[in-house]
Amino acid sequence: MAGVLMEQKVLLDAQWYDYVPIFIYFTFVIGVGFVMKAKAKSSDQFLTGGRSLPAWVTGIAFVSANLGAVEIMGMSANGAQYGMPTFHYFWVGAVPAMIFLGLVMMPFYYGSKVRSVPEFMFKRYGKIAHLINSLSFALAQLLIAGINLFLLGKIINWLLGWPLMLALIVAAVIVFTYISIGGLAAAIYNEVLQFFVIVAALLPLTLIGLHRTGGWSGLKEQITANAVAAGTDPALQLNSWPGQLLSGFSSPVMSVVGIVFGLGFVLSFGYWTTNFVEVQRAMASDSISAAQKTPIIGTFVKMFVPFLVIIPGMIAGVLVTEVAQAKNAGESFEYNNAILLLMRDVLPDGLLGLAITGLLASFMAGMAANISAFNTVFTVDLYERYLKPGQSDEKYLRVGKLSTAAAAIIAIFTALIASQYDNLMDYLQQLFSMFNAPLFATFIVGMFWRKASPTAGWLGLVSGTLGALTINILMWAGVLSLPGQGGAFLAASVAFVTDVVVTVIVSQVTQPKPAAELRGFVYSLTPKAERTDPHLHELPVWRRPVPLGIAAALLVVTLNVVFH
Amino acid sequence: MSNNTKTPAKADLTDIRIIIGLALGLIGLFLLIVAIFGTGPEQLAKTGGINGNLWSGVGLLIVAVVMTIWWKINPDGGASSPSGH
């Protein structure tokens, strides 16, 4: 799978000075760890960043933590292969869920002062649901950290010619160094720095690429010409709606329904609203309103990421000889390399070095986000909760650092597992559909329905996950056949519905938690003062969560209209 | 909301804005140097005639300067309670 690039030594023709920005960036990355050392003295500061960061910082980190290898390589690959329907992963597939997270769910997460999403699960539903949540989350983080690390290792391998194993170890050591010294705050700071470096790397790539194709209209003409020559419908690539190439449904109506409910509701709400990697960034902010604004400010960033990722993919589809040939002939091709090949073809030395820096930054920060979420869940939800409760803070701080080391080492091994799958996107979506859609169902029922009982909580989770697993097994066995993302949508929908139905039924016959214990965790039992920011009225209107959320919603609708 | 006493409003080097400003500024300078000494016909052919290093370098320096100025004139930038407490 990596053969194509290795034989041609694509990125090895970089000049010596292309390494300068890489050196500058990593000096700062390590430096941030040391700068933040003073802010990571207790286990709480280490794991929550001391709840002291402004909303724009956590908002950028919220997006950046998700802007790893899969987003950049995988989404540009989708852009090269399918074109504009890929926008939905960023718009329908993220923005509504992020606004919902900020306005509806964040007041509970932040206001209840839990340190992790699984901890919220513990307080709301008790032990069994908590164990399922924390164990599955911890496992998923190790897997995804491995995927990010593997892609990082592959890039270093191509660029510097280092053996993969050495690249994996060096990358893991760097991440371990700054997280173990500076904690979550260092991870968040580096995510913000990473974001700026990625934009600095991808914006010139996009603009120069568009210049080479004769602008946006030139790009569309060339895609049309190639598609017609290959006997396919260019409209499928040049319109984001109805997006049959993405949903896999041939009927336009079914495709729209599939994207809005499958991607826009069950998949994305499951992913964005309960994924602790994301929510953790908001929990590090300095007030309830800042926590609410974190994902909402994030949407403004998120909406424009596809222009820097998908459009270069589309450009590669016409400008890069290898990609264009494979696409026109319908041959199988490692589309994940599309953006690298475009960098080789259009970036001069200097910018090429910056582009490589951006990729390394992205893959490393993705992995770091997984590891910083893992160490919190391990320390707070597994070690402190079950293994050794009631220890000194120093002890937990040490466990936080040790679990960071353990995660970095395990990620090296999971990197080798990740190398076995060639379509990372499909693989991840299947994973998320099994864990996330039921989690969202359980959380949202639990936040708004006081009678949802502890037993119902874990039974709902288990049956929802089994529902998704059943669909996936039927698909793997070939009993069910849905092309594209149709299977992932179906699995997530089945998981969501099963979870809600089971939770409601079981709650009828089991005992709910006493009302006193649910204060802060259920809407009707939480006084308004505990879920709103007392200083909210001091902020100007445009810095309040609700107006910002409305602006984000209007903007994403506008983008969908313009790029329909 | 939070009871943490925040650091007093004074521009310090642990602020993300000065870190971004320094890092992007250095990378921007690097691109400008490459643009001055390393722009040949081969490089210009790749970009279709644009001096990519020059423009990107200028862009990065502008962002770096904006971040540094923001850090200097408004040390508490973006925090929830403007007073810092």
Side-chain angles (χ1 to χ4, degrees):
Chain A
M1 137 178 176
V4 183
L5 281 177
M6 278 199 217
E7 283 152 23
Q8 298 178 346
K9 302 194 171 181
V10 173
L11 292 169
L12 287 177
D13 60 355
Q15 300 292 316
W16 65 267
Y17 53 80
D18 282 323
Y19 298 88
V20 172
I22 301 177
F23 178 77
I24 296 173
Y25 176 74
F26 282 101
T27 308
F28 274 86
V29 163
I30 302 282
V32 162
F34 286 96
V35 164
M36 300 311 282
K37 191 178 178 183
K39 293 188 181 173
K41 281 187 181 140
S42 71
S43 72
D44 194 55
Q45 285 177 334
F46 182 78
L47 298 171
T48 69
R51 296 192 171 217
S52 62
L53 301 173
W56 71 271
V57 170
T58 51
I60 291 178
F62 188 96
V63 173
S64 210
N66 183 254
L67 195 55
V70 173
E71 289 265 306
I72 293 194
M73 308 272 283
M75 286 303 170
S76 59
N78 285 336
Q81 212 171 352
Y82 306 119
M84 286 172 62
T86 314
F87 282 141
H88 294 312
Y89 283 113
F90 295 84
W91 295 345
V92 173
V95 173
M98 287 162 73
I99 296 173
F100 184 85
L101 169 66
L103 295 184
V104 179
M105 297 176 76
M106 198 54 81
F108 295 102
Y109 284 142
Y110 194 95
S112 64
K113 297 200 169 63
V114 293
R115 289 164 293 177
S116 73
V117 168
E119 193 169 43
F120 188 94
M121 186 66 103
F122 182 84
K123 301 258 169 94
R124 176 61 187 84
Y125 282 113
K127 204 180 266 181
I128 302 177
H130 172 253
L131 268 175
I132 295 170
N133 188 191
S134 39
L135 288 174
S136 65
F137 178 81
L139 190 67
Q141 290 324 296
L142 293 176
L143 276 174
I144 301 166
I147 293 171
N148 276 313
L149 181 60
F150 169 67
L151 286 161
L152 179 61
K154 226 164 60 160
I155 293 285
I156 299 179
N157 178 284
W158 294 334
L159 172 66
L160 304 173
W162 295 10
L164 182 67
M165 204 59 198
L166 179 65
L168 295 183
I169 291 170
V170 169
V173 165
I174 292 178
V175 168
F176 164 73
T177 306
Y178 73 76
I179 296 184
S180 66
I181 296 174
L184 178 65
I188 289 178
Y189 265 32
N190 272 332
E191 282 156 13
V192 177
L193 183 60
Q194 169 227 355
F195 177 78
F196 281 90
V197 170
I198 290 179
V199 173
L202 295 182
L203 187 62
L205 180 71
T206 311
L207 294 177
I208 295 173
L210 280 175
H211 177 70
R212 287 274 310 269
T213 57
W216 178 239
S217 56
L219 175 63
K220 289 208 282 195
E221 279 162 25
Q222 290 181 49
I223 288 176
T224 308
N226 287 352
V228 170
T232 56
D233 183 1
L236 292 177
Q237 289 183 56
L238 292 174
N239 291 15
S240 57
W241 293 102
Q244 288 107 322
L245 287 179
L246 182 140
S247 66
F249 296 111
S250 55
S251 145
V253 177
M254 275 301 290
S255 179
V256 170
V257 171
I259 289 173
V260 170
F261 289 97
L263 181 64
F265 185 63
V266 277
L267 265 183
S268 79
F269 275 62
Y271 177 76
W272 293 100
T273 63
T274 64
N275 187 346
F276 178 53
V277 179
E278 306 301 333
V279 176
Q280 186 180 31
R281 271 68 207 152
M283 284 176 171
S285 61
D286 58 8
S287 66
I288 286 196
S289 65
Q292 288 192 279
K293 281 187 291 182
T294 296
I296 296 172
I297 289 174
T299 62
F300 290 98
V301 178
K302 185 80 182 169
M303 275 183 246
F304 292 96
V305 172
F307 295 108
L308 301 180
V309 176
I310 296 170
I311 291 188
M314 293 168 71
I315 295 170
V318 296
L319 213 55
V320 176
T321 324
E322 295 96 320
V323 185
Q325 270 174 4
K327 195 176 162 186
N328 295 341
E331 291 162 3
S332 72
F333 183 73
E334 186 53 46
Y335 281 96
N336 278 338
N337 295 334
I339 200 164
L340 297 178
L341 296 168
L342 184 69
M343 287 172 176
R344 175 201 64 184
D345 284 357
V346 309
L347 291 183
D349 287 310
L351 268 181
L352 183 62
L354 179 54
I356 294 164
T357 312
L359 290 179
L360 296 179
S362 146
F363 299 1
M364 190 168 283
M367 173 196 173
N370 299 130
I371 289 185
S372 63
F374 171 86
N375 70 17
T376 305
V377 167
F378 181 83
T379 308
V380 168
D381 291 294
L382 298 173
Y383 191 82
E384 187 180 336
R385 177 78 56 201
Y386 299 111
L387 299 175
K388 291 274 169 73
Q391 306 253 313
S392 70
D393 187 71
E394 277 158 52
K395 175 83 178 167
Y396 292 130
L397 179 61
R398 205 165 78 231
V399 170
K401 293 186 178 188
L402 283 175
S403 56
T404 309
I409 292 166
I410 294 168
I412 294 175
F413 291 99
T414 45
L416 303 171
I417 298 173
S419 68
Q420 302 298 311
Y421 292 84
D422 48 358
N423 198 334
L424 292 172
M425 231 24 243
D426 279 354
Y427 167 60
L428 277 178
Q429 295 240 350
Q430 283 179 7
L431 201 71
F432 291 148
S433 74
M434 285 191 259
F435 290 125
N436 285 330
L439 272 178
F440 171 60
T442 301
F443 269 109
I444 203 70
V445 171
M447 280 176 181
F448 289 95
W449 192 45
R450 56 197 279 190
K451 286 191 181 141
S453 72
T455 317
W458 73 263
L459 275 175
L461 269 183
V462 169
S463 45
T465 309
L466 288 178
L469 189 64
T470 310
I471 299 292
N472 279 313
I473 289 174
L474 288 178
M475 300 235 312
W476 290 326
V479 181
L480 258 177
S481 164
L482 285 166
Q485 298 297 337
F489 295 166
L490 182 68
S493 309
V494 167
F496 180 84
V497 173
T498 311
D499 186 309
V500 171
V501 169
V502 169
T503 306
V504 170
I505 292 175
V506 175
S507 295
Q508 308 296 335
V509 293
T510 49
Q511 200 63 32
K513 272 190 149 190
E517 289 180 26
L518 293 178
R519 184 183 162 134
F521 300 91
V522 179
Y523 183 81
S524 60
L525 300 172
T526 308
K528 194 157 185 246
E530 285 181 25
R531 50 182 163 79
T532 46
D533 188 341
H535 298 289
L536 186 65
H537 61 274
E538 294 169 17
L539 290 170
V541 171
W542 57 272
R543 283 181 63 188
R544 294 180 196 174
V546 174
L548 273 175
I550 293 170
L554 290 176
L555 188 55
V556 80
V557 170
T558 311
L559 283 172
N560 270 287
V561 172
V562 175
F563 294 92
H564 67 88
Chain B
M1 179 64 222
S2 100
N3 297 322
N4 300 325
T5 44
K6 287 177 194 127
T7 43
K10 188 176 158 240
D12 70 59
L13 287 170
T14 65
D15 192 302
I16 183 66
R17 290 167 296 171
I18 188 61
I19 295 171
I20 293 169
L22 286 173
L24 295 190
L26 282 175
I27 294 174
L29 278 180
F30 156 75
L31 288 180
L32 285 187
I33 292 170
V34 177
I36 292 166
F37 294 106
T39 307
E42 197 188 318
Q43 307 284 340
L44 286 175
K46 278 184 161 183
T47 61
I50 303 175
N51 193 334
N53 285 325
L54 179 69
W55 291 111
S56 307
V58 169
L60 282 178
L61 283 178
I62 292 173
V63 177
V65 168
V66 168
M67 280 288 166
T68 311
I69 291 174
W70 183 19
W71 167 74
K72 260 290 179 211
I73 62 174
N74 186 4
D76 211 14
S80 285
S81 38
S83 62
H85 292 282

